[in-house]
Amino acid sequence: MKKIIVKDHLEGAKEGFKIIENLLENKELNVFGLATGSTPLSLYELIRESNLDFKDVISINLDEYVGLSPDHSQSYNYFMKENLFNAKPFKASYLPDGSNDNEKEVCDEYENILKENPIDLQILGIGTNGHIGFNEPGSAFDSRTRKVELAEETIEANSRFFETKDEVPTHAYSMGIGTILEAKKIILFAYGEAKADAINKMFNEEPNTNLPASALQNHPDVTVIMDEAAASKLK
């Protein structure tokens, strides 16, 4: 895994942007795997303000809350429209249908979409417990898109986006670790001291399901862009 250590999230976004720009220029970005949450916001802002054109690119998101309609203000569908899609429309954009409680139907359909559109570049963040997507500790490295129960610390972390903690969904549809690892190239962004322990373990522990992000050691092309705080415990 390649390490890029930057001063802050703004510098991190610039590093990620350069990789995306280069892939687009070389016509090597046909399917773009996207993430939500606060981590990629600075990257999406740079993209919105740029001249990059995604009209020939398909986007596929990592996950979506179960129980929220696409137009709910806290759904990831809504998040992506507000932070990227309204300014930079794609050829097609896919997210799991969180309003459909038929797990098999939703997940089978999503796996078919991914099979037909292999991801060229996947954006990831990392949780304080080492989760990627919503693959919490204990997730199998060969797991596929499925309905997952969110860990308490994940619910707590996401509660800042809701009026009360009780409003935070307890489940999500998420690409599995095995699904994520099929992307040709992966960029993981990590910012802040709270991520330092997970980052250190991701690089320095043997791959194990207690730290889902450690599965990335098995991928041939991963770039980790982190600020000095997130990198502070690296050995």
Side-chain angles (χ1 to χ4, degrees):
M1 293 189 288
K2 179 182 178 182
K3 304 182 188 77
I4 298 178
I5 300 175
V6 296
K7 179 182 178 182
D8 55 28
H9 68 98
L10 298 175
E11 292 298 319
K14 291 177 183 177
E15 291 293 332
F17 182 89
K18 286 190 290 187
I19 294 171
I20 294 163
E21 185 177 39
N22 183 63
L23 289 173
L24 275 174
E25 287 179 354
N26 291 307
K27 302 189 183 304
E28 295 176 350
L29 184 55
N30 301 302
V31 183
F32 195 177
L34 301 175
T36 51
S38 57
T39 298
L41 282 176
S42 50
L43 173 65
Y44 293 161
E45 182 176 359
L46 279 184
I47 291 174
R48 289 197 311 270
E49 295 173 349
S50 75
N51 294 321
L52 296 187
D53 186 351
F54 294 93
K55 70 177 185 301
D56 294 323
V57 179
I58 292 170
S59 73
I60 304 181
N61 264 75
L62 279 169
D63 41 38
E64 177 61 283
Y65 287 123
V66 173
L68 299 188
S69 63
D71 59 355
H72 189 286
S73 63
Q74 293 303 326
S75 75
Y76 287 156
N77 193 303
Y78 186 91
F79 174 99
M80 292 306 305
K81 287 180 179 177
E82 289 293 301
N83 290 288
L84 187 59
F85 295 159
N86 288 343
K88 294 288 182 180
F90 284 68
K91 179 180 178 180
S93 294
Y94 298 103
L95 291 92
D97 183 2
S99 63
N100 186 347
D101 60 5
N102 186 326
E103 177 182 356
K104 180 173 174 31
E105 182 177 284
V106 172
C107 297
D108 285 354
E109 179 184 6
Y110 217 61
E111 283 291 320
N112 286 333
I113 290 169
L114 287 157
K115 185 177 180 180
E116 293 171 2
N117 303 280
I119 291 175
D120 296 305
L121 173 65
Q122 177 66 58
I123 300 298
L124 293 177
I126 184 171
T128 55
N129 63 0
H131 75 236
I132 50 176
F134 273 131
N135 295 285
E136 302 286 11
S139 297
F141 283 0
D142 62 355
S143 55
R144 312 301 300 180
T145 303
R146 68 205 188 285
K147 182 179 179 179
V148 296
E149 182 175 358
L150 305 185
E152 180 62 28
E153 57 195 292
T154 301
I155 293 172
E156 183 67 39
N158 290 346
S159 64
R160 68 188 186 276
F161 301 116
F162 294 80
E163 289 190 14
T164 68
K165 182 180 174 182
D166 291 339
E167 294 181 12
V168 184
T170 58
H171 293 77
Y173 292 125
S174 178
M175 286 188 203
I177 295 175
T179 315
I180 291 169
L181 291 177
E182 290 176 354
K184 292 178 186 175
K185 185 178 185 67
I186 294 172
I187 303 176
L188 184 146
F189 295 90
Y191 305 125
E193 189 175 357
K195 304 294 177 71
D197 189 52
I199 286 291
N200 179 52
K201 289 178 179 178
M202 181 181 73
F203 277 103
N204 293 308
E205 287 190 0
E206 288 295 316
N208 67 91
T209 57
N210 290 326
L211 192 86
S214 66
L216 298 176
Q217 293 181 33
N218 300 324
H219 192 281
D221 192 352
V222 177
T223 300
V224 181
I225 299 175
M226 53 195 147
D227 65 5
E228 294 168 355
S232 62
K233 293 186 179 180
L234 276 177
K235 297 176 182 177

